[in-house]
Amino acid sequence: VEGVSAVAPLTFRAAKLKSGYALVQLHGLTPGGARRGTVRFAPNAKHITIEGFVLNGQLPKNALLSSYQGAVVLAAAGNQSDITVRNMRFYNYSVSSWKAGYTGMFFGFVTNTVTNLTIEGCTFESLASSNSSHHTLGAIVTRQGTYKNLTIHRNRFIALAVDAINVRDSLFDNAA
């Protein structure tokens, strides 16, 4: 998307029902092999917010069947900045729909730096992987790369059979 900047950010926001959850459920993984997701932030993506969507693991197109996938994914080359994931609901990813290691609901496995990443107000509910012995599984996963100004707050983790937050081989720099 052209013209996105700090003064003109791009926000994708779903309308809310009385229950507080979105009218819109996202489904389907981006094409290609590794680093697939229902939402995928491409290399160099900047100033983007996604807010209020629901991702249901029981929808067949949302299944995580191979490694390096997630419901929300940072593309491998990294260099994303000013990314916010807010008030999302990730639920019903069970052993039938989550069969791979190196996966998570929010999955960052990058080779460069990600700057100003915020994950807030999200609900991660009823998550279990059939590959539970794998070391890199979780609701929120960072694997490799450098994360500058990473903020994870006000999230709810309910009925998880995987880590809430899984950090592996990542560097963090939250200096002001």
Side-chain angles (χ1 to χ4, degrees), residues 11-18 20-26 49-55 86-89:
T11 299
F12 296 96
R13 181 177 296 126
K16 290 183 185 178
L17 295 171
K18 289 181 182 179
Y21 292 111
L23 286 165
V24 179
Q25 289 197 41
L26 300 176
T49 297
I50 59 170
E51 182 174 348
F53 293 96
V54 173
L55 289 100
R86 180 182 298 129
N87 300 331
M88 302 279 286
R89 183 180 183 210

Side-chain angles (χ1 to χ4, degrees), residues 53-167:
F53 293 96
V54 173
L55 289 100
N56 180 351
Q58 294 304 305
L59 298 174
K61 290 185 177 183
N62 285 356
L64 302 176
L65 302 177
S66 62
S67 295
Y68 311 110
Q69 296 180 350
V72 175
V73 176
L74 296 175
N79 293 324
Q80 296 92 346
S81 69
D82 302 292
I83 302 293
T84 300
V85 177
R86 180 182 298 129
N87 300 331
M88 302 279 286
R89 183 180 183 210
F90 303 86
Y91 75 108
N92 283 341
Y93 283 82
S94 66
V95 294
S96 63
S97 61
W98 190 347
K99 296 186 178 291
Y102 293 108
T103 56
M105 294 303 95
F106 180 92
F107 185 69
F109 186 170
V110 298
T111 56
N112 290 306
T113 299
V114 176
T115 306
N116 301 329
L117 171 62
T118 301
I119 304 168
E120 67 179 355
C122 295
T123 299
F124 300 89
E125 183 176 358
S126 299
L127 309 178
S129 173
S130 63
N131 196 350
S132 60
S133 64
H134 202 279
H135 299 290
T136 308
L137 292 170
I140 300 171
V141 176
T142 63
R143 173 84 198 269
Q144 297 183 337
T146 300
Y147 296 82
K148 291 185 176 184
N149 301 319
L150 170 64
T151 303
I152 300 172
H153 66 107
R154 296 186 311 108
N155 296 291
R156 297 177 61 207
F157 302 94
I158 304 164
L160 302 185
V162 295
D163 295 334
I165 300 171
N166 183 306
V167 174

